[in-house]
């Protein structure tokens, strides 16, 4: 048989080409220390020439591991959600894992179906963003238990009985810092613009005793679509001013909304921040290039990704590890639009 004419090569073909046993081939691809460096080099050279790849399904059955990770995340915006999952994928890839990423769109059916699929794939672990409709993941506990090694990432604090590792991504910390900064720099009539929902309620509760803050909703974000009409931020501020109402600062729940408000104010001949300060959320790259630069809240994507991936890798390596609880506080970035440098 002319081995060069085969389209698909197996472990025995590689063994024949390298002049070693099939067991040696297996040891090389399992990174066994029992293979001499020269022999390993010879095997890898032969495998490369034959374009041989070991069967992942066979390794899964043999080792009980698939060397794969599930990532369930809502990729809607306006924040750059793809950035954090891309960084997670990189960290996990460096550790030897393939990542299966799905945009859940925060919808029950998608999350449920994806969990079933990941169980069938026998993934070694999962990083999941807790959806707004079920931040405690009670609907999915039984499926998550089948996966076993799970890290939950959420803007909410975990319940005491949460049975999985948990990373609290504390956006409220950054919101508190940004609104407090506006007050500390002399703003006494702050307009807060956010979508009607849980986050706006949390902000209202945090500053309920502060008469210098007025809250306005610019509408709802439709689940699954998460589309925002950024001009609505400017429309709300325009209506507020046209009604003779005053404000000396506008806090927007995204940077694009802040940019729209800045444009409106400048078109009306008003100075930012001298007349009205403006602040946003998400610290998108454009913030530092718009004039004035937009003050915003850094979501710390790199740190969140590194910590979540590290927590999962630790859990996979040691399933008996005590439950891990971590918090990443979002950072307020002072820029000219809010009176910063």
């Amino acid at each position: 048989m002319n081995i060069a004419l085969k389209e698909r090569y197996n472990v025995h073909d590689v063994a024949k080409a390298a002049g070693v046993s099939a067991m040696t081939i297996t040891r090389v691809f399992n990174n066994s220390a029992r293979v001499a460096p020269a022999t390993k080099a010879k095997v890898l050279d032969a495998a490369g020439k034959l374009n041989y790849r070991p069967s992942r399904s066979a390794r899964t059955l043999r080792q009980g591991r698939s060397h794969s990770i599930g990532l369930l995340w809502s990729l809607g915006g306006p924040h750059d959600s793809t950035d954090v999952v891309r960084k997670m994928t990189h960290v996990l890839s460096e550790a030897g894992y393939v990542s299966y990423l799905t945009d859940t769109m925060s919808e029950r059916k998608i999350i449920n179906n994806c969990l079933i699929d990941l169980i069938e794939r026998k993934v070694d672990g999962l990083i999941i963003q807790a959806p707004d409709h079920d931040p405690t993941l009670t609907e999915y506990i039984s499926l998550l238990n089948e996966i076993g090694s799970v890290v939950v990432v959420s803007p909410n604090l975990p319940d005491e009985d949460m049975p999985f590792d948990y990373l609290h991504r504390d956006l409220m910390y950054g919101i508190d810092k940004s609104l407090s900064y506006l007050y500390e720099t002399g703003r006494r009539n702050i307009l807060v613009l956010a979508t009607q929902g849980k986050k706006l309620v949390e902000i209202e509760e945090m500053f309920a005793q502060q008469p210098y803050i007025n809250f306005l909703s610019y509408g709802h974000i439709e689940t699954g679509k998460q589309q925002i009409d950024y001009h609505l931020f400017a429309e709300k501020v325009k209506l507020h001013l046209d009604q003779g109402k005053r404000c000396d600062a506008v806090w927007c729940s995204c940077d694009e909304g802040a940019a729209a408000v800045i444009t409106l104010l400048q078109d009306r001949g008003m100075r930012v921040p001298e007349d009205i300060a403006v602040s946003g959320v998400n610290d998108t790259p454009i913030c530092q290039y718009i004039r004035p630069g937009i003050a915003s809240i850094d979501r710390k994507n790199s740190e969140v990704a590194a910590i979540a991936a590290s927590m999962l890798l630790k859990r996979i390596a040691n399933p008996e590890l005590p439950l891990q609880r971590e918090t990443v506080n979002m950072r307020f970035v002072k820029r000219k639009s809010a009176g910063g440098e």
Side-chain angles (χ1 to χ4, degrees):
M1 179 182 68
N2 184 353
I3 196 169
L5 296 179
K6 289 186 66 175
E7 294 183 0
R8 180 80 179 180
Y9 300 103
N10 58 37
V11 65
H12 299 287
D13 296 326
V14 179
K16 181 177 179 181
V20 299
S21 68
M23 180 57 70
T24 299
I25 304 300
T26 300
R27 287 172 178 164
V28 167
F29 283 97
N30 284 339
N31 294 316
S32 172
R34 298 169 61 187
V35 182
T39 302
K40 182 177 181 179
K42 185 166 60 174
V43 168
L44 293 178
D45 180 65
K49 290 178 180 178
L50 298 179
N51 196 27
Y52 167 77
R53 298 187 306 275
S55 169
R56 182 172 293 274
S57 59
R59 291 177 67 188
T60 299
L61 291 173
R62 185 171 61 252
Q63 301 175 355
R65 297 180 59 187
S66 65
H67 296 280
S68 62
I69 300 295
L71 298 177
L72 297 188
W73 210 266
S74 178
L75 300 181
H79 51 82
D80 187 5
S81 51
T82 57
D83 183 46
V84 68
V85 291
R86 181 173 295 165
K87 293 178 188 300
M88 287 179 188
T89 300
H90 175 73
V91 174
L92 294 169
S93 176
E94 290 292 304
Y97 289 91
V98 172
S99 296
Y100 297 122
L101 168 64
T102 299
D103 179 4
T104 66
M105 296 191 285
S106 293
E107 293 193 355
R108 289 178 168 86
K109 184 177 180 180
I110 294 176
I111 295 173
N112 193 76
N113 289 343
C114 285
L115 287 173
I116 293 172
D117 179 72
L118 292 172
I119 290 168
E120 292 176 350
R121 291 177 183 270
K122 300 185 183 299
V123 294
D124 296 325
L126 168 72
I127 299 176
I128 180 171
Q129 180 189 52
D132 289 339
H133 68 263
D134 185 9
T136 60
L137 294 167
T138 52
E139 296 179 29
Y140 313 103
I141 291 295
S142 61
L143 293 174
L144 294 172
N145 278 328
E146 289 194 52
I147 294 175
S149 297
V150 175
V151 173
V152 179
V153 181
S154 173
N156 305 303
L157 287 168
D159 288 349
E160 291 184 2
D161 57 353
M162 167 59 69
F164 305 109
D165 296 324
Y166 201 96
L167 174 56
H168 175 212
R169 195 177 192 182
D170 194 354
L171 177 61
M172 292 304 295
Y173 179 89
I175 292 174
D176 182 21
K177 293 296 183 183
S178 61
L179 287 171
S180 296
Y181 175 79
L182 290 172
Y183 180 80
E184 291 164 3
T185 52
R187 310 296 169 170
R188 294 296 182 267
N189 199 331
I190 303 171
L191 193 62
V192 170
L193 289 173
T195 53
Q196 186 64 45
K198 186 174 185 296
K199 191 58 60 182
L200 181 59
V201 171
E202 290 179 5
I203 300 172
E204 289 176 335
E205 290 176 350
M206 177 181 288
F207 291 91
Q209 305 304 317
Q210 308 302 335
Y212 58 86
I213 294 182
N214 299 304
F215 299 93
L216 282 180
S217 166
Y218 58 83
H220 294 264
I221 296 180
E222 191 173 343
T223 300
K225 295 182 179 180
Q226 294 193 338
Q227 295 298 316
I228 297 176
D229 292 325
Y230 301 120
H231 76 277
L232 291 178
F233 286 85
E235 288 296 320
K236 286 288 185 179
V237 175
K238 180 178 183 298
L239 179 61
H240 186 84
L241 296 175
D242 287 348
Q243 291 175 342
K245 299 177 182 178
R246 298 184 58 188
C247 66
D248 54 18
V250 179
W251 185 95
C252 301
S253 61
C254 67
D255 298 324
E256 292 83 352
V261 170
I262 289 173
T263 299
L264 166 73
L265 296 176
Q266 291 175 338
D267 287 347
R268 293 171 71 107
M270 305 182 75
R271 301 171 301 164
V272 178
E274 291 84 356
D275 297 325
I276 297 180
V278 179
S279 187
V281 175
N282 299 323
D283 196 32
T284 50
I286 198 66
C287 287
Q288 58 186 309
Y289 301 114
I290 290 177
R291 292 295 176 265
I294 300 177
S296 189
I297 297 174
D298 175 14
R299 299 178 68 87
K300 292 192 175 180
N301 286 344
S302 294
E303 187 173 343
V304 168
I307 292 176
S310 175
M311 291 171 70
L312 184 61
L313 293 173
K314 289 178 182 177
R315 174 61 57 194
I316 293 172
N318 183 6
E320 303 304 318
L321 194 70
L323 284 176
Q324 303 173 88
R325 297 287 186 261
E326 299 285 349
T327 296
V328 176
N329 294 323
M330 305 295 95
R331 178 176 67 96
F332 176 54
V333 182
K334 301 172 186 177
R335 291 196 181 95
K336 189 66 179 292
S337 71
E341 296 297 326

